[in-house]
Amino acid sequence: MGTVISLALPAGAALDGEEVLEDATAAVERVFAGLDATFSLYLPDSEASRLARGEVTLRDASAAFRARFADATGWRLLTGGFFTPERPDGVLDLSGIIKGYAIDQAAVALESAGMEDWCLNAGGDVLVSGSPAPGNGAPWLAGIVDPQDRRSLLSGFPLGGAGRFAALATSGTAERGNHIWRAGAGRARGGGAGLGPLDFRQVSVAAADILTADVLATAVVAGGRRMLDWATDSWDVEVLAVLGSGELLATPGFRG
């Protein structure tokens, strides 16, 4: 998926030997590799690429592909179109939802391997379980990189432990440039979706699940202040948004 995936465990974690850890990491790798092989538009033989070239239609796509498309279109409705599964050129692109789905499925694989305390990070999107110090309920602390200085942390946020949030996702332009399209920015398509100036340079969303965090982080970047207000009014989330000027907007959980 063009990113780094890491798995952190509590210091001195009591494992039933090296084989348990190897099996767990292998299971995570299989999840990400399998979904990448299906949904990547960078792999020419993937189902997504064949669909983009018109070699297959959505009706003929696999059940798994159609299920993720249904998820994406559901989120488009929930976000008023600020999250969309189509690129400005009309190509179906489910990458906005697949990484979050992959993290979620990797969590299932870890639980099936009997692991209760872990922190999974895929390109800055984090999902945790349990605690880094099993027994005392301490949370994991996820760091948020400063988009104006990638060598520094802008903030930290506690996940897991006794808290209600297990997931944190960050979206923005600092790492990959302006790759997020927004409604009304596409001049060539009569005001449809396209790349355009964004209110926020970076948005981080903490939520109970990674799919909600991941989708809303992207939607707020695409929809600006309007979607930010919508997200905080409609979902149980905490948000830290960085304006183009560097000014911060934060909900109480981040201000604390």
Side-chain angles (χ1 to χ4, degrees), residues 172-200:
T173 62
E175 185 171 341
R176 295 173 54 198
N178 188 0
H179 64 286
I180 298 173
W181 52 89
R182 60 182 302 177
R187 298 175 183 172
R189 301 184 63 210
L195 294 175
L198 300 168
D199 291 346
F200 300 123

Side-chain angles (χ1 to χ4, degrees), residues 50-243:
R50 290 187 286 115
L51 193 82
R53 292 193 297 266
E55 296 173 4
V56 294
T57 65
L58 186 59
R59 177 181 296 179
D60 299 324
S62 66
F65 195 99
R66 287 184 280 111
R68 301 292 75 75
F69 173 74
D71 291 343
T73 53
W75 277 108
R76 175 166 55 191
L77 292 173
L78 289 172
T79 61
F82 286 123
F83 180 87
T84 175
E86 289 91 16
R87 296 192 323 204
D89 59 5
V91 171
L92 186 62
D93 184 353
L94 300 182
S95 59
I97 201 170
I98 288 303
K99 185 168 71 167
Y101 178 74
I103 297 171
D104 183 68
Q105 293 303 295
V108 174
L110 290 171
E111 291 166 0
S112 297
M115 304 186 72
E116 298 178 352
D117 302 286
W118 46 262
C119 175
L120 184 62
N121 184 331
D125 292 350
V126 180
L127 180 65
V128 309
S129 176
S131 168
N136 70 7
W140 297 89
L141 187 61
I144 300 171
V145 172
D146 186 342
Q148 300 184 98
D149 181 2
R150 304 290 295 170
R151 299 167 299 177
S152 302
L153 291 181
L154 184 67
S155 179
F157 194 88
L159 297 174
R164 71 184 191 275
F165 297 122
L168 177 72
T170 297
S171 183
T173 62
E175 185 171 341
R176 295 173 54 198
N178 188 0
H179 64 286
I180 298 173
W181 52 89
R182 60 182 302 177
R187 298 175 183 172
R189 301 184 63 210
L195 294 175
L198 300 168
D199 291 346
F200 300 123
R201 181 177 299 185
Q202 179 172 287
V203 173
S204 298
V205 175
D209 66 278
I210 190 61
L211 277 171
T212 298
D214 194 23
V215 168
L216 291 183
T218 301
V220 172
V221 172
R225 291 174 183 261
R226 178 183 170 193
M227 185 61 219
L228 173 62
D229 292 340
W230 194 344
T232 54
D233 288 343
S234 304
W235 284 272
D236 181 20
V237 295
E238 298 287 354
V239 182
L240 177 64
V242 185
L243 288 161

